[in-house]
mmCIF file of all heavy atoms in Angstrom:
data_model
loop_
_atom_site.group_PDB
_atom_site.id
_atom_site.type_symbol
_atom_site.label_atom_id
_atom_site.label_comp_id
_atom_site.label_asym_id
_atom_site.label_seq_id
_atom_site.Cartn_x
_atom_site.Cartn_y
_atom_site.Cartn_z
ATOM 1 N N GLY A 179 126.063 22.196 180.439
ATOM 2 C CA GLY A 179 125.998 23.300 181.361
ATOM 3 C C GLY A 179 124.700 23.348 182.051
ATOM 4 O O GLY A 179 124.091 22.168 182.282
ATOM 5 N N VAL A 180 124.171 24.449 182.496
ATOM 6 C CA VAL A 180 122.971 24.531 183.355
ATOM 7 C C VAL A 180 122.073 25.762 182.878
ATOM 8 O O VAL A 180 122.611 26.747 182.432
ATOM 9 C CB VAL A 180 123.392 24.653 184.810
ATOM 10 C CG1 VAL A 180 123.944 23.371 185.382
ATOM 11 C CG2 VAL A 180 124.181 25.813 185.065
ATOM 12 N N SER A 181 120.810 25.544 182.972
ATOM 13 C CA SER A 181 119.892 26.624 182.888
ATOM 14 C C SER A 181 119.392 26.864 184.365
ATOM 15 O O SER A 181 119.170 25.904 185.090
ATOM 16 C CB SER A 181 118.725 26.177 182.020
ATOM 17 O OG SER A 181 117.838 27.368 181.950
ATOM 18 N N VAL A 182 119.388 28.063 184.808
ATOM 19 C CA VAL A 182 119.248 28.518 186.281
ATOM 20 C C VAL A 182 118.137 29.497 186.380
ATOM 21 O O VAL A 182 117.857 30.242 185.500
ATOM 22 C CB VAL A 182 120.481 28.919 186.885
ATOM 23 C CG1 VAL A 182 121.614 28.037 186.750
ATOM 24 C CG2 VAL A 182 121.002 30.297 186.317
ATOM 25 N N GLU A 183 117.592 29.395 187.606
ATOM 26 C CA GLU A 183 116.612 30.446 188.001
ATOM 27 C C GLU A 183 117.344 31.514 188.796
ATOM 28 O O GLU A 183 116.951 32.642 188.598
ATOM 29 C CB GLU A 183 115.521 29.836 188.985
ATOM 30 C CG GLU A 183 114.751 28.633 188.388
ATOM 31 C CD GLU A 183 113.703 29.155 187.256
ATOM 32 O OE1 GLU A 183 113.695 30.398 186.974
ATOM 33 O OE2 GLU A 183 113.055 28.431 186.751
ATOM 34 N N LYS A 184 118.263 31.120 189.655
ATOM 35 C CA LYS A 184 118.995 32.149 190.430
ATOM 36 C C LYS A 184 120.432 32.354 190.173
ATOM 37 O O LYS A 184 121.115 31.449 189.757
ATOM 38 C CB LYS A 184 118.877 31.668 191.993
ATOM 39 C CG LYS A 184 117.496 31.375 192.497
ATOM 40 C CD LYS A 184 117.487 30.835 193.804
ATOM 41 C CE LYS A 184 116.013 30.531 194.411
ATOM 42 N NZ LYS A 184 116.000 29.768 195.657
ATOM 43 N N VAL A 185 120.886 33.581 190.456
ATOM 44 C CA VAL A 185 122.350 33.945 190.099
ATOM 45 C C VAL A 185 123.244 32.970 190.856
ATOM 46 O O VAL A 185 124.265 32.528 190.399
ATOM 47 C CB VAL A 185 122.516 35.360 190.492
ATOM 48 C CG1 VAL A 185 124.058 35.765 190.542
ATOM 49 C CG2 VAL A 185 121.839 36.304 189.547
ATOM 50 N N GLU A 186 122.839 32.590 192.197
ATOM 51 C CA GLU A 186 123.736 31.984 193.053
ATOM 52 C C GLU A 186 123.857 30.472 192.447
ATOM 53 O O GLU A 186 124.972 29.835 192.576
ATOM 54 C CB GLU A 186 123.128 31.803 194.523
ATOM 55 C CG GLU A 186 123.239 33.056 195.299
ATOM 56 C CD GLU A 186 122.318 34.122 195.038
ATOM 57 O OE1 GLU A 186 121.338 33.861 194.217
ATOM 58 O OE2 GLU A 186 122.339 35.247 195.549
ATOM 59 N N GLU A 187 122.930 29.896 191.836
ATOM 60 C CA GLU A 187 123.077 28.707 191.167
ATOM 61 C C GLU A 187 124.050 28.632 189.954
ATOM 62 O O GLU A 187 124.800 27.720 189.917
ATOM 63 C CB GLU A 187 121.611 28.255 190.632
ATOM 64 C CG GLU A 187 120.677 27.963 191.857
ATOM 65 C CD GLU A 187 119.171 27.804 191.298
ATOM 66 O OE1 GLU A 187 118.991 28.143 190.036
ATOM 67 O OE2 GLU A 187 118.330 27.421 192.028
ATOM 68 N N GLY A 188 124.024 29.775 189.243
ATOM 69 C CA GLY A 188 124.989 29.982 188.176
ATOM 70 C C GLY A 188 126.374 29.994 188.746
ATOM 71 O O GLY A 188 127.438 29.419 188.272
ATOM 72 N N MET A 189 126.505 30.739 189.793
ATOM 73 C CA MET A 189 127.848 30.788 190.587
ATOM 74 C C MET A 189 128.341 29.459 191.036
ATOM 75 O O MET A 189 129.542 28.943 190.772
ATOM 76 C CB MET A 189 127.864 31.823 191.684
ATOM 77 C CG MET A 189 127.646 33.166 191.217
ATOM 78 S SD MET A 189 127.429 34.376 192.781
ATOM 79 C CE MET A 189 127.467 35.990 191.916
#
Side-chain angles (χ1 to χ4, degrees):
V180 291
S181 183
V182 300
E183 299 289 2
K184 301 176 181 178
V185 169
E186 286 79 8
E187 294 167 347
M189 292 177 173

